[in-house]
Amino acid sequence: LSHCYWVGITCTTNGYVMGIEMESRNLKGQLPYELGKISTLKDIILNNNELTGNIPVELGNLEHLEQLYLFENDITGDLPDDKGVCTLIPLKSLDVLWVDCDKVNCPSFPSICCTKCGKEGIDPVKISGPDTSTDNNTSSGGGGESGESGEITEVDKELRAQQIQLRLEDISFPITTSQTRLSALEWITDSDPMKLPADAPLLVDRYILTLFYYALDGENWLIEEGETMWLTELSHCYWVGITCTTNGYVMGIEMESRNLKGQLPYELGKISTLKDIILNNNELTGNIPVELGNLEHLEQLYLFENDITGDLPDDKGVCTLIPLKSLDVLWVDCDKVNCPSFPSICCTKCGKEGIDPVKISGPDTSTDNNTSSGGGGESGESGEITEVDKELRAQQIQLRLEDISFPITTSQTRLSALEWITDSDPMKLPADAPLLVDRYILTLFYYALDGENWLIEEGETMWLTELSHCYWV
């Protein structure tokens, strides 16, 4: 039989191994490092057996791994932050790493590589949480360079502050020339009860949220009774409006109608795990930071009902997330923010009512029969496209599409699709339009598969019309 029928194995539809679930099966021995070569693995469930040795560092190659259950075994050894399965936590997919924390040396809080410990699945934070004790008695006299055993000296504090500043200047540079950024740095180094070390994985997220607070007038936010204020001794995951992954990385900032005032700090684009930014109905100003285009996991960005203005170019910033990545909703005030015009549709909703931007500024479907008059048509009325412009556009489109279909002119089907795109398509896409390739391939699909004779019911939208191809049946 196919290995997909072996007990405990689950596969993709085309036979690649997706899961190994063999808990309580009397497995004995060391895990082979070659497991790290099954690139489609999502679940490894091997708890309650007699496994020994270390967790293979090669499992860090499993970019789709979501669950790794190894508790109730005799597995031991270290789990370093910088290689192996711990590297899957911050930016990739691993949600659950469940081991025997009394045998496996997990990176200490606040990195929380291991998400559950032992048979009971105890939160590792409850085993070894941050030291929030005060250090008022850290030093006594003489500048405080010595203290009781185990306490932090003034020299240690200064060294930590320097190391933190050095690390955060990779995020905000130069950090000391902005009072807002300096205030955030000083809170992290001097006032934060969590006292994160300079190499703590969660330091950057916590700093950027602190900067977000200072930049947007956090002291005057609307916080209801019972909600947890920001800049407290608690993990930032408990601050109002913040959601996190299971290991403490920021996944969502939802602060609508909270009286936020000011410009969004560009450093938000450095929180690589962000999926949702919901900040509508506030008093935000300035532009949408171009750095938000780095957020490859961003799914929703709500900025409507603010005073944000400026351009959103197609080729950088958040608009680059639309075609190939994850951004589903970009909701802004389209009368203030200059979204790329139809058909790029970078902005998906406009204003308080969430109006479809296509209904605001759809494609120009007017004919251009009168574009030119006599003389070969190389000149026309002001603003109209000349014959020379048309020919140049056609050449540029053909050049681009020959990366898709080459040589495009030797196939009548492909040539017909090209000619429809360049000559007949009412949408008149420019050669660099992000949606050009999709529209061409659908047009080719139509011609290659006898589109004229398809069975289209009354009321359905035929292909090769002036509408966006997203409306074709």
Side-chain angles (χ1 to χ4, degrees):
L1 292 177
S2 162
H3 52 266
C4 298
Y5 291 97
W6 297 353
V7 65
I9 299 300
T10 56
C11 291
T12 64
T13 54
N14 52 333
Y16 291 92
V17 177
M18 195 164 57
I20 304 175
E21 302 189 18
M22 294 290 287
E23 62 179 301
S24 305
R25 294 282 187 173
N26 198 36
L27 278 62
K28 298 178 182 180
Q30 297 187 26
L31 291 174
Y33 69 83
E34 288 88 349
L35 278 180
K37 301 294 180 70
I38 304 180
S39 59
T40 49
L41 265 176
K42 294 178 67 176
D43 302 298
I44 302 176
I45 311 297
L46 303 176
N47 53 291
N48 195 21
N49 285 291
E50 297 181 35
L51 301 178
T52 57
N54 297 339
I55 298 174
V57 70
E58 289 80 6
L59 298 191
N61 298 325
L62 300 177
E63 296 188 359
H64 302 286
L65 190 64
E66 295 179 0
Q67 299 184 96
L68 179 57
Y69 288 21
L70 296 174
F71 64 97
E72 289 196 285
N73 280 289
D74 292 316
I75 291 174
T76 57
D78 295 334
L79 282 180
D81 260 341
D82 58 348
K83 59 183 178 180
V85 289
C86 288
T87 62
L88 300 176
I89 293 279
L91 301 177
K92 299 177 183 172
S93 61
L94 188 59
D95 292 324
V96 182
L97 174 54
W98 193 344
V99 297
D100 298 307
C101 298
D102 58 338
K103 301 174 184 177
V104 176
N105 184 21
C106 299
S108 60
F109 186 89
S111 78
I112 324 179
C113 172
C114 305
T115 59
K116 292 187 178 183
C117 294
K119 182 178 180 179
E120 304 301 323
I122 300 172
D123 185 343
V125 178
K126 295 178 179 177
I127 298 175
S128 59
D131 179 12
T132 57
S133 60
T134 59
D135 49 23
N136 295 334
N137 298 319
T138 297
S139 60
S140 56
E145 294 195 9
S146 63
E148 296 181 13
S149 176
E151 292 182 338
I152 301 173
T153 68
E154 291 299 327
V155 170
D156 292 335
K157 289 180 183 177
E158 182 63 28
L159 178 60
R160 170 179 169 272
Q162 292 173 357
Q163 291 172 335
I164 287 176
Q165 179 174 334
L166 189 64
R167 180 177 177 194
L168 294 181
E169 282 188 337
D170 285 339
I171 308 299
S172 300
F173 183 81
I175 203 167
T176 55
T177 60
S178 160
Q179 184 56 51
T180 303
R181 289 169 176 80
L182 185 58
S183 296
L185 172 65
E186 290 175 345
W187 188 83
I188 289 290
T189 56
D190 302 333
S191 304
D192 184 0
M194 193 166 274
K195 303 296 182 192
L196 297 183
D199 60 353
L202 299 182
L203 178 71
V204 169
D205 282 22
R206 195 165 174 91
Y207 162 73
I208 294 173
L209 290 183
T210 303
L211 174 58
F212 184 91
Y213 175 89
Y214 281 111
L216 302 181
D217 194 25
E219 289 187 356
N220 294 306
W221 289 352
L222 300 176
I223 307 295
E224 296 182 6
E225 186 176 355
E227 293 180 322
T228 305
M229 190 52 197
W230 290 36
L231 308 198
T232 66
E233 74 282 356
L234 294 177
S235 162
H236 49 263
C237 299
Y238 293 98
W239 297 352
V240 64
I242 299 300
T243 55
C244 290
T245 64
T246 54
N247 53 322
Y249 292 91
V250 177
M251 194 164 57
I253 303 175
E254 301 188 19
M255 295 291 287
E256 62 180 300
S257 306
R258 294 283 188 174
N259 199 38
L260 279 61
K261 298 179 181 179
Q263 296 189 26
L264 290 174
Y266 69 83
E267 290 87 345
L268 277 180
K270 302 294 180 72
I271 303 181
S272 58
T273 47
L274 265 175
K275 294 177 68 176
D276 302 297
I277 302 177
I278 312 297
L279 303 177
N280 53 290
N281 196 23
N282 284 292
E283 296 182 36
L284 302 177
T285 56
N287 297 340
I288 298 174
V290 71
E291 290 78 5
L292 297 191
N294 298 325
L295 301 177
E296 295 188 359
H297 302 286
L298 190 64
E299 295 178 0
Q300 299 184 96
L301 178 57
Y302 288 21
L303 296 174
F304 64 97
E305 289 196 284
N306 281 288
D307 291 316
I308 291 174
T309 56
D311 295 334
L312 281 179
D314 259 341
D315 59 347
K316 59 183 177 179
V318 289
C319 288
T320 62
L321 300 177
I322 292 278
L324 301 177
K325 299 177 183 172
S326 63
L327 188 59
D328 293 323
V329 181
L330 174 54
W331 195 341
V332 297
D333 297 306
C334 298
D335 58 337
K336 301 174 184 176
V337 175
N338 184 20
C339 299
S341 59
F342 188 90
S344 77
I345 322 179
C346 173
C347 305
T348 58
K349 293 187 178 183
C350 294
K352 183 178 180 179
E353 304 302 323
I355 299 171
D356 184 342
V358 177
K359 296 178 180 177
I360 298 175
S361 58
D364 179 11
T365 59
S366 61
T367 61
D368 48 24
N369 294 332
N370 298 321
T371 299
S372 59
S373 57
E378 294 194 8
S379 63
E381 296 180 13
S382 175
E384 293 183 337
I385 301 174
T386 67
E387 291 300 324
V388 171
D389 291 332
K390 289 181 183 178
E391 181 62 27
L392 179 60
R393 170 180 169 272
Q395 291 172 357
Q396 291 172 334
I397 287 176
Q398 178 174 338
L399 189 64
R400 181 178 177 193
L401 293 181
E402 283 187 336
D403 286 337
I404 309 298
S405 300
F406 184 80
I408 203 168
T409 55
T410 60
S411 159
Q412 185 55 52
T413 304
R414 289 169 176 79
L415 184 58
S416 296
L418 171 65
E419 290 175 346
W420 188 85
I421 288 290
T422 55
D423 303 333
S424 304
D425 184 0
M427 195 168 275
K428 303 297 181 192
L429 296 183
D432 60 353
L435 300 182
L436 177 71
V437 170
D438 284 20
R439 196 165 173 92
Y440 161 73
I441 294 174
L442 290 182
T443 304
L444 173 58
F445 184 93
Y446 175 88
Y447 281 112
L449 303 181
D450 194 24
E452 289 187 358
N453 294 307
W454 289 353
L455 300 176
I456 307 296
E457 296 182 6
E458 186 176 354
E460 292 181 323
T461 305
M462 190 52 198
W463 289 37
L464 308 200
T465 67
E466 75 282 356
L467 295 176
S468 163
H469 48 265
C470 300
Y471 294 98
W472 296 352
V473 63

